[in-house]
Amino acid sequence: MQETDSQSQEQATAFKAASAPAKSRTLWGDAFKRLRKNKLAVIGVCWIIIVVLVALTADLWAKPWLGSPTASDSTTMAETSLMAPCAEHPFGTDSLGRDILVRVIYGARVSLSVGIMATAISTVIGLVMGALAGFYGGIWDTIIMRCADIFLAFPYVLFVVAMIAVIGRGLQNVFIAIGILGWPSIARVFRSAILTVKENDYVDAARAMGASDARIVMRHIFPNSVASIVVYATMNIGGAILTESALSFLGMGVIPPTPSWGSMIQDGQQYLLTAPWMMIMPGLAILSTVLAFTLLGDGLRDALDVKMKDA
């Protein structure tokens, strides 16, 4: 009797397990699971989070501990200028006696804001242009893609420098220039994705049911094309940070004394032999942050690959 009861319980348990609804799997859920297994991508995410938190909370602890990132004290400049890294100044000081660590921290605000805002602008413009070119084709495709070819024919940094020379220096103008001139690549990626997706049966069905073009693009095409855009936009943030650093190094970026990683490297180049930390520290900040966004972009590309959905 006991064996019969135990067998009945096992059969009932197995029946419940078999009849229970299977957990739904989504592209983003599967992608997140695969991303967590990518150690390099996780390292990139962790470093980005650290940089963002440090930059956002700098006013609470960096200034009281390390001093102002812009102001210099003329009475103590002779004693504090060009100090090597030590316990009081972990990254050393610059020629004006300002702590380099606090300037690197506040420079992260500039780099991250430019990277995020410029990428947002270029992504929005690129999505609109790519949607018009890919969905409607014809004359729209010809005009937009030829405009993109013209933009891509010029050296990117030189084009940004020329635009900054026209609209003027300043943080706002920097991310506007980088954002406006960065749309062609996004447009090409989104156009290619639309050309792949728009011939599917569910798009034809939506069109047959009377859905508007905007609804078809936003509800059916964009969700199935967004993966490639997310990957490309993530990598573009690192590229925008590099471009802003190059502009600041050339004197075309943010206006001093606002700290920027590029301008810090430019200030330290004349002290390369006597105070190399003035260039090394902001250079390492640029390297680590851009590398983190690149690792995250590579991880997202692998995680969002539908061919790996069963991995």
Coordinates of all heavy atoms in Angstrom, one line a residue, residues 8 15 52 81 83 97 113 124 159-160 185 204 217 222 234 242 247 262 297-298:
S8 N 1.8 6.9 -6.7 CA 0.7 7.8 -7.0 C 1.1 9.3 -6.8 O 0.8 10.1 -7.7 CB -0.6 7.5 -6.2 OG -1.0 6.2 -6.5
F15 N 2.8 14.9 -13.2 CA 1.7 15.4 -14.1 C 1.6 16.9 -13.9 O 1.4 17.7 -14.8 CB 0.4 14.7 -13.7 CG -0.8 15.3 -14.4 CD1 -1.1 14.9 -15.7 CD2 -1.7 16.2 -13.8 CE1 -2.2 15.4 -16.4 CE2 -2.8 16.7 -14.4 CZ -3.0 16.3 -15.8
V52 N 30.4 56.4 -13.2 CA 29.2 57.2 -13.2 C 28.9 57.6 -11.7 O 28.6 58.8 -11.4 CB 28.0 56.5 -13.8 CG1 26.7 57.2 -13.5 CG2 28.2 56.3 -15.3
S81 N 52.8 72.7 -6.4 CA 52.8 72.5 -7.8 C 53.7 71.3 -8.2 O 54.8 71.1 -7.6 CB 53.2 73.7 -8.6 OG 54.6 74.1 -8.3
M83 N 53.6 68.1 -7.7 CA 53.9 67.1 -6.7 C 53.7 65.7 -7.2 O 52.7 65.5 -7.9 CB 53.0 67.3 -5.4 CG 53.4 68.6 -4.6 SD 52.3 68.7 -3.2 CE 52.7 67.2 -2.3
G97 N 49.2 73.5 -8.9 CA 49.0 73.0 -7.6 C 47.7 72.3 -7.4 O 47.3 72.0 -6.3
S113 N 28.9 63.1 -20.1 CA 27.8 63.9 -20.6 C 27.9 64.0 -22.1 O 26.9 63.9 -22.8 CB 27.7 65.2 -19.9 OG 28.9 65.9 -20.2
V124 N 18.9 59.5 -32.5 CA 17.6 59.9 -32.9 C 17.6 60.3 -34.3 O 16.7 59.9 -35.1 CB 17.1 61.1 -32.0 CG1 15.9 61.7 -32.5 CG2 16.9 60.6 -30.6
F159 N 35.9 67.3 -39.5 CA 34.5 67.8 -39.7 C 34.0 68.4 -38.4 O 33.4 69.5 -38.5 CB 33.6 66.7 -40.2 CG 32.5 67.1 -41.1 CD1 31.8 66.2 -41.8 CD2 32.2 68.5 -41.3 CE1 30.7 66.6 -42.7 CE2 31.2 68.9 -42.1 CZ 30.5 68.0 -42.8
V160 N 34.2 67.7 -37.3 CA 33.7 68.2 -36.0 C 34.5 69.5 -35.7 O 33.8 70.5 -35.2 CB 33.9 67.2 -34.9 CG1 33.5 67.7 -33.6 CG2 33.1 65.9 -35.2
S185 N 26.3 56.8 -39.7 CA 26.5 55.3 -39.4 C 25.3 54.7 -38.8 O 24.9 53.5 -39.1 CB 27.7 55.2 -38.4 OG 28.9 55.7 -39.0
D204 N 3.5 42.6 -43.6 CA 2.5 42.6 -44.7 C 1.1 42.5 -44.1 O 0.1 43.1 -44.5 CB 2.7 41.4 -45.6 CG 4.0 41.6 -46.4 OD1 4.4 42.8 -46.6 OD2 4.6 40.6 -46.9
V217 N 6.3 50.9 -38.4 CA 7.7 51.1 -38.1 C 7.9 51.0 -36.5 O 8.9 50.3 -36.1 CB 8.2 52.5 -38.6 CG1 9.6 52.8 -38.0 CG2 8.2 52.5 -40.1
F222 N 10.7 48.4 -35.7 CA 11.7 48.9 -34.7 C 12.0 47.9 -33.6 O 13.2 47.7 -33.3 CB 11.3 50.2 -34.1 CG 12.2 50.8 -33.1 CD1 13.4 51.4 -33.5 CD2 12.0 50.8 -31.8 CE1 14.3 51.9 -32.6 CE2 12.9 51.3 -30.8 CZ 14.1 51.8 -31.3
T234 N 26.0 51.8 -28.0 CA 26.9 51.6 -26.8 C 28.3 51.9 -27.2 O 29.1 52.6 -26.5 CB 26.7 50.2 -26.3 OG1 25.3 50.0 -25.9 CG2 27.6 50.0 -25.1
L242 N 36.2 59.7 -27.0 CA 37.5 59.9 -27.7 C 37.5 61.2 -28.5 O 38.5 62.0 -28.5 CB 37.8 58.7 -28.6 CG 38.4 57.5 -27.9 CD1 38.6 56.4 -28.9 CD2 39.7 57.8 -27.2
L247 N 39.1 66.9 -29.2 CA 38.8 68.3 -29.4 C 39.4 69.2 -28.3 O 40.0 70.2 -28.5 CB 37.3 68.5 -29.4 CG 36.6 68.0 -30.7 CD1 35.0 68.1 -30.5 CD2 37.0 68.7 -31.9
G262 N 41.0 65.5 -22.1 CA 41.8 65.9 -23.3 C 42.6 67.1 -23.0 O 43.8 67.2 -23.3
G297 N 29.8 46.8 -25.4 CA 29.2 46.7 -26.7 C 29.4 45.3 -27.3 O 28.5 44.7 -27.9
D298 N 30.7 44.8 -27.2 CA 30.9 43.5 -27.7 C 30.1 42.4 -27.0 O 29.6 41.5 -27.6 CB 32.4 43.1 -27.5 CG 33.3 43.9 -28.4 OD1 32.8 44.3 -29.5 OD2 34.5 44.0 -28.1

